[in-house]
Amino acid sequence: MTERETRVSELAAQYLPDDVLERFRERADVYDRENRFFDEDLAELKDLGYLTLFVPRSHGGPGLSLFEVTRLQQRLATAAPGTALAINMHLMTTGVVKALADRDDDSLNWVFDEVMAGEIFAFGISEPSNDWVLQGSNTEAVRTADGGFELTGVKIFTSLSPVWTRLIVHGAVASDDGIAGPDADEPAEGELVYGFIERDAPGITVSDEWDVLGMRASQSRATILDHVPMKPERVSRVIPAGKHPDLLTFAITSNFQLLIAAVYAGVAARALELGAAGLHRRKSAKAGVTFAEVPEARTRLADAHLDFMPVTAMIDAYARDFDDLIDHGAGWPLRLVGARIKSAEAARRNAEAALMCTSGSGFGNKHELSRLFRDATAGLFHPPSADAARPMYAAALLDG
C-alpha cells in the first residue's frame, strides 16, 4: 500500500471506524422511515472531531486536504447517504475557508475558530428558479447604514436545517432604483454580496415541509429570509454578477461539486456491494448454481462496476489537483461539474442494477437497496443539472 493510501486507511479508522459505520447504517433506515434528522449520527461525528476536518492545525484542527475529506465522505455515504449529504454542507463551507487560506486569503479564518467553538455551518445558495446559481440571485440584498446588508428571499434545500447556526448566503445588491436581481432573459448583471448570517438573527423562518423521496435524514428544508441582517464583519465579498472569476466562488464550486460527487460515489459503491451479495444469496433453479455464477447476472454487475471505476478516479485526481493548487483555468468547471454529474449517474445506474441482482427482495421497503435507490435520485437535483451543464461542454469544443 502506498503512503497516501496508508494515510487514508488511518484516517478512516480514526474518524469513521467500522463499528461507527454499522451504527450509522442501522440508524439510516430509522431516520428514513421516521423522516427525521440524524441527531445521533451528528453527536457521534462531533465526538470524533469530524466537523473540524478542514480546520488547520494552527486553529486546533487536523487540517485535512480535500482529497482526504472526499475519501472519508465516500466511506460515510456507504453507510448513511443522508447524513453524508447534509454534513457535506458544513464541510463544504469550512473547505472553502481552507481553500482561501491555502491561497493566501485569510479573510474568513474566523470561521475556523467558530467551528472549534461548536458552531455548525450550512449552505444557503440554492434558490427557486435561479439557474444562475452563483452568478446571480433572486434574493434582494439592501445595504444598511452600518455597512452590512438586509436579505429578503428564499433559499431551498438548506441541509442541516434543524441544527445550523451559521449560514453562508448570497443576494443581489439592490440598485438605486430599488430593483435587485438579474433579468431572467438577460445575462446576470449588477452586484452580488456573499457572507454569513446567524441563526438567531431576526427574520429567519425555517420551513416545516420536508416529505421527499430520498435523502430524508438530511432535512434540507427551505429557509425564508425577511430582511435578515448580515453584519458588516460577516460580509465576505461584493462582486459583479455574471461570469466574473473570484476566488470565493471558485472555492465554493470546487468544494461543493467534489464533496457532492463523493457522496454519490459512496452510494454507487455500496450498491455494488449489495448487488454482489444479492447474487450470492439467490440460486437459479434453471442453472442449479447461485446467480453469482449465471453469465447474464455477472455481466449486469460487471457493466455497473466498469462504469463506476472512472468516477472515483475523477474525484481523486481533481481533488488532488485542487489541493496542489494546479491551475486548470477555464478547464476547472468542466472537471468539477463532470465529476459530480458522472458520480450521480453512477449511483442511479448502480442502484438500479443492484436492485435487479436482488430480485424481488430489494423491492421491499425493508431492504437497504430500496432506500439507496431513492437516495440516489436526489443526485438529479444538485446544480447545475446535466441540461444546464451541456452548453458549457459544447462551448468548450465548438465556440473557441
Side-chain angles (χ1 to χ4, degrees):
M1 187 181 294
T2 65
E3 182 179 341
R4 184 180 68 216
E5 293 303 317
T6 299
R7 166 70 170 163
V8 169
S9 295
E10 292 171 348
L11 291 172
Q14 178 180 355
Y15 290 106
L16 293 171
D18 291 342
D19 61 323
V20 169
L21 280 191
E22 284 308 309
R23 287 196 294 274
F24 283 14
R25 183 170 288 118
E26 291 174 4
R27 288 195 292 252
D29 177 68
V30 177
Y31 297 147
D32 179 74
R33 287 179 180 278
E34 297 181 0
N35 191 24
R36 69 177 176 91
F37 188 66
F38 56 96
D39 292 292
E40 296 87 350
D41 287 3
L42 180 61
E44 289 205 52
L45 290 172
K46 284 181 178 179
D47 289 342
L48 289 163
Y50 204 82
L51 275 63
T52 71
L53 293 180
F54 277 123
V55 177
R57 294 183 182 279
S58 59
H59 288 260
L64 300 194
S65 66
L66 181 57
F67 165 74
E68 292 166 336
V69 176
T70 57
R71 283 292 192 90
L72 287 172
Q73 282 294 90
Q74 289 178 60
R75 179 171 169 81
L76 177 56
T78 63
T83 295
L85 184 65
I87 213 67
N88 245 354
M89 299 302 105
H90 174 88
L91 294 174
M92 186 280 300
T93 307
T94 55
V96 165
V97 180
K98 182 178 185 296
L100 265 61
D102 288 345
R103 291 159 178 80
D104 300 319
D105 183 339
D106 297 334
S107 60
L108 294 181
N109 279 16
W110 59 266
V111 169
F112 296 140
D113 298 324
E114 293 211 345
V115 168
M116 296 306 294
E119 304 295 347
I120 297 178
F121 286 77
F123 188 67
I125 298 296
S126 297
E127 300 168 332
S129 301
N130 176 22
D131 49 1
W132 291 110
V133 194
L134 292 172
Q135 297 176 9
S137 176
N138 296 330
T139 296
E140 181 184 64
V142 177
R143 295 181 187 272
T144 54
D146 61 1
F149 289 86
E150 285 188 350
L151 283 80
T152 300
V154 178
K155 304 294 184 177
I156 57 174
F157 295 126
T158 312
S159 301
L160 300 172
S161 282
V163 298
W164 67 260
T165 61
R166 304 287 187 267
L167 189 68
I168 184 171
V169 294
H170 76 329
V173 179
S175 60
D176 292 339
D177 58 11
I179 299 174
D183 188 305
D185 298 321
E186 299 293 336
E189 59 184 19
E191 289 184 316
L192 298 173
V193 58
Y194 282 84
F196 295 81
I197 59 175
E198 300 175 359
R199 184 62 173 260
D200 58 3
I204 297 175
T205 302
V206 176
S207 171
D208 291 330
E209 180 65 28
W210 184 249
D211 188 7
V212 293
L213 181 65
M215 297 293 187
R216 290 160 66 84
S218 71
Q219 293 295 302
S220 305
R221 308 172 194 171
T223 305
I224 300 94
L225 309 178
D226 183 10
H227 297 90
V228 176
M230 179 188 291
K231 298 176 181 177
E233 64 271 21
R234 293 296 185 252
V235 175
S236 303
R237 290 284 201 283
V238 178
I239 60 177
K243 295 182 179 180
H244 296 277
D246 186 88
L247 180 55
L248 177 65
T249 53
F250 170 62
I252 290 173
T253 300
S254 302
N255 279 269
F256 181 88
Q257 298 294 337
L258 291 179
L259 287 169
I260 293 290
V263 169
Y264 290 100
V267 172
R270 179 60 177 169
L272 290 178
E273 293 177 359
L274 293 172
L279 292 182
H280 279 295
R281 278 196 300 268
R282 296 169 56 217
K283 188 172 182 178
S284 167
K286 183 187 296 186
V289 295
T290 68
F291 275 91
E293 300 174 71
V294 174
E296 294 84 359
R298 293 176 67 90
T299 297
R300 178 179 297 113
L301 203 60
D303 287 345
H305 195 187
L306 181 62
D307 288 342
F308 171 65
M309 293 299 290
V311 167
T312 53
M314 292 170 73
I315 298 170
D316 281 357
Y318 302 157
R320 291 201 303 268
D321 280 0
F322 185 79
D323 292 329
D324 293 340
L325 311 187
I326 301 298
D327 183 7
H328 288 299
W332 263 121
L334 300 173
R335 289 167 168 81
L336 299 168
V337 174
R340 197 261 307 157
I341 288 177
K342 290 302 179 183
S343 181
E345 288 178 352
R348 295 193 299 275
R349 287 197 304 267
N350 286 11
E352 179 177 312
L355 274 176
M356 297 180 72
C357 291
T358 63
S359 188
S361 63
F363 196 59
N365 272 332
K366 292 183 179 180
H367 200 288
E368 183 181 350
L369 259 172
S370 175
R371 171 176 50 79
L372 214 62
F373 183 82
R374 291 184 288 103
D375 285 345
T377 62
L380 293 165
F381 300 99
H382 301 291
S385 67
D387 287 345
R390 286 189 183 100
M392 175 177 68
Y393 290 94
L397 292 175
L398 301 174
D399 296 344

